[in-house]
Amino acid sequence: MSDPMVSFVRTAAERHAREERARQMAGAVVRTVRYVDIDYFRHEVAAEYEGPRRIVDEAEWARPTWRCDGFDSIDYGVELECADGRVFSVTWQSPSWTEGLVFWEQPLLGNAVRPEADVAVWDVTARSGWADFAGRSVLDVQVHYEPDDDGFWCRWATLRYDRGDVNLLLGESHRSGSELQPSADNVAVVFPSSPLPAWLTVDGR
């Protein structure tokens, strides 16, 4: 079995194991959603601060760096804290044979991001499209794998709710935030109110 913290898998059996591991989140209630992002305004508003900085100032909330037209765009990833205390996260792995989207039951800080990193942490539970899903049960989780050289890679995961699907994928903003384009080092969140990009495929189709 390959490393469970690596997105890429070499066999169909490993792919199935990753899919089943992601589905362990089914039935959970997401209590808190956090975006872990580059701290673009640290030097302007908190130059002396060190380590992860939780965004609380209303002036920063008036211009969130991750909000785009029809989707959210996050540099490092998304943490999903459940009511039962479990924490799932979605992040990316650098381009190589392991490139892909990672969906794991681990916090971002201390795993994909150094615990002392100078990052911005946004609690978006009630101040983004996640507000429609906080406190509701996740019906299912799908990680969409596609055939690749000598295995399968993943660039897209779906959380299914009774109110629609929340999709997390390897993508970022382009043209001043008006267009969602593929990315190897950024996570985009697309809510049911917006269509998925035409370039996204399932199983290579």
Side-chain angles (χ1 to χ4, degrees):
M1 177 65 67
S2 61
D3 184 344
M5 300 308 172
V6 174
S7 176
F8 185 87
V9 296
R10 293 197 176 277
T11 69
E14 290 175 332
R15 168 183 175 169
H16 178 72
R18 297 298 171 82
E19 292 168 342
E20 290 305 305
R21 185 177 292 116
R23 287 195 176 100
Q24 292 177 9
M25 189 182 181
V29 173
V30 176
R31 177 177 59 191
T32 306
V33 182
R34 291 179 287 269
Y35 289 168
V36 180
D37 214 7
I38 292 175
D39 197 350
Y40 290 97
F41 299 110
R42 179 176 296 239
H43 294 299
E44 296 179 24
V45 300
E48 304 302 318
Y49 196 91
E50 296 183 355
R53 185 173 70 92
R54 301 191 180 278
I55 307 303
V56 296
D57 191 274
E58 287 300 321
E60 290 188 81
W61 275 103
R63 51 171 184 171
T65 55
W66 42 264
R67 181 168 292 156
C68 303
D69 294 338
F71 61 96
D72 295 343
S73 179
I74 307 100
D75 293 297
Y76 294 118
V78 181
E79 281 189 348
L80 304 160
E81 182 178 337
C82 301
D84 60 9
R86 291 182 296 163
V87 178
F88 293 83
S89 61
V90 180
T91 186
W92 50 267
Q93 291 180 331
S94 300
S96 69
W97 70 272
T98 63
E99 177 184 357
L101 189 81
V102 182
F103 189 104
W104 56 15
E105 190 176 344
Q106 295 281 355
L108 285 178
L109 293 177
N111 292 285
V113 179
R114 298 191 320 274
E116 73 280 5
D118 290 341
V119 295
V121 180
W122 302 75
D123 184 340
V124 299
T125 313
R127 307 184 74 163
S128 71
W130 289 102
D132 291 335
F133 302 95
R136 308 186 75 84
S137 295
V138 178
L139 302 180
D140 192 19
V141 178
Q142 290 186 309
V143 285
H144 306 279
Y145 272 91
E146 304 172 34
D148 193 35
D149 293 341
D150 300 320
F152 304 89
W153 79 301
C154 177
R155 57 173 171 169
W156 174 24
T158 302
L159 301 184
R160 300 201 180 281
Y161 287 90
D162 58 354
R163 292 186 172 182
D165 296 346
V166 178
N167 289 280
L168 303 100
L169 53 112
L170 293 177
E172 64 181 338
S173 62
H174 180 55
R175 296 180 181 175
S176 302
S178 63
E179 182 180 334
L180 177 56
Q181 67 176 9
S183 174
D185 57 3
N186 205 87
V187 176
V189 180
V190 182
F191 297 101
S193 57
S194 298
L196 287 171
W199 48 261
L200 202 61
T201 63
V202 181
D203 293 331
R205 296 191 296 272

